[in-house]
Amino acid sequence: MNLGLVFESGDYVLISVFLLLVLMSIVTWTVIVVRAVKLSKAKKGNAAVKPMIWNAKSLSEAVEQAKTVESPMSAVTLDAVRARESYRLHKDNQIAAAVPLNEYLVRQIRNSMSQNLRQFDGGLTALASIGATAPFIGLFGTVWGIYHALINISQSGQMSIAAVAGPIGEALVATAAGLFVAIPAVLAYNFLVRGNKTLAQDMDAFAHDFHVQLLNHKD
């Protein structure tokens, strides 16, 4: 299979289809590498900082430990402690703090978790879109290539198997290219969504326990 023949004999539509699929493939693998590395780093950071926080002898020590590791749990810990201190300082002169400490902390921790987990959703829409559309783009290129191959064959008057099989075979490459682009995108999307879900579950469990810890902490 010589892809060079596709670009030599194909028209601008078929060439555009292949170039679009190449661009989709580049985007797919870029998102896969960047997001997989980011997710792995976040999970390793959480695994490292979680025992450090729970083994701390005081809240101030837990804060210092959280500052040493960059992870979503560290960010939530620092945001929760800052929210607690802000409530103590401004509960009498700010409408945002005019609620019980329990509800205030729940709101602030939930907002912090949403902000920190949102960064892991980048690129998932692109993967889902590529996985859904790439096969159809490839199929469009195949249909277009077969149509023009048959037109050219009918005009030349050559109806042999060799004359038909060559151009049609090259046009079918577009469908294979579409599947080649779509399959990694779909698999990566499912993998990353599952990874984000487990990360969110771990964060939710930690946030719940740390919220209780803050409520029962005595200065």
Side-chain angles (χ1 to χ4, degrees):
M1 182 175 61
N2 188 358
L3 294 178
L5 293 177
V6 177
F7 292 92
E8 292 177 3
S9 59
D11 61 356
Y12 69 95
V13 174
L14 189 58
I15 294 175
S16 298
V17 167
F18 274 93
L19 292 178
L20 180 58
L21 291 175
V22 169
L23 178 61
M24 285 183 168
S25 181
I26 294 174
V27 172
T28 296
W29 287 105
T30 301
V31 172
I32 290 174
V33 172
V34 172
R35 290 303 165 191
V37 170
K38 190 176 184 66
L39 183 61
S40 176
K41 183 179 179 181
K43 289 188 174 183
K44 289 180 180 179
N46 285 347
V49 78
K50 186 176 181 180
M52 296 169 61
I53 293 175
W54 292 128
N55 293 332
K57 297 180 180 180
S58 63
L59 186 60
S60 59
E61 182 180 344
V63 170
E64 294 302 320
Q65 295 288 356
K67 291 179 180 180
T68 62
V69 180
E70 183 179 355
S71 70
M73 281 187 183
S74 298
V76 170
T77 298
L78 298 177
D79 289 342
V81 173
R82 281 194 293 265
R84 180 177 179 272
E85 296 300 323
S86 176
Y87 181 88
R88 293 174 58 203
L89 294 175
H90 306 292
K91 64 180 180 179
D92 296 327
N93 53 18
Q94 283 188 3
I95 188 172
V99 293
L101 176 60
N102 178 37
E103 297 181 10
Y104 183 81
L105 287 178
V106 167
R107 182 177 63 193
Q108 298 299 321
I109 292 175
R110 184 185 297 115
N111 291 338
S112 177
M113 285 183 57
S114 298
Q115 293 295 327
N116 282 280
L117 292 177
R118 187 177 300 169
Q119 61 182 314
F120 299 97
D121 292 334
L124 294 182
T125 301
L127 289 180
S129 300
I130 291 173
T133 59
F136 297 103
I137 294 175
L139 182 60
F140 170 76
T142 294
V143 172
W144 185 270
I146 290 176
Y147 169 74
H148 281 274
L150 294 176
I151 292 296
N152 294 334
I153 291 171
S154 65
Q155 292 176 351
S156 64
Q158 299 178 0
M159 298 303 295
S160 64
I161 296 297
V164 174
I168 292 180
E170 296 298 337
L172 290 173
V173 176
T175 298
L179 294 175
F180 179 79
V181 174
I183 292 174
V186 173
L187 294 177
Y189 175 82
N190 292 332
F191 170 79
L192 292 175
V193 167
R194 176 60 182 171
N196 290 351
K197 183 177 180 180
T198 58
L199 178 63
Q201 290 173 344
D202 293 340
M203 292 289 297
D204 186 70
F206 172 80
H208 178 270
D209 294 340
F210 195 71
H211 168 251
V212 174
Q213 188 70 28
L214 288 178
L215 287 179
N216 294 296
H217 179 76
K218 302 297 183 182
D219 295 327

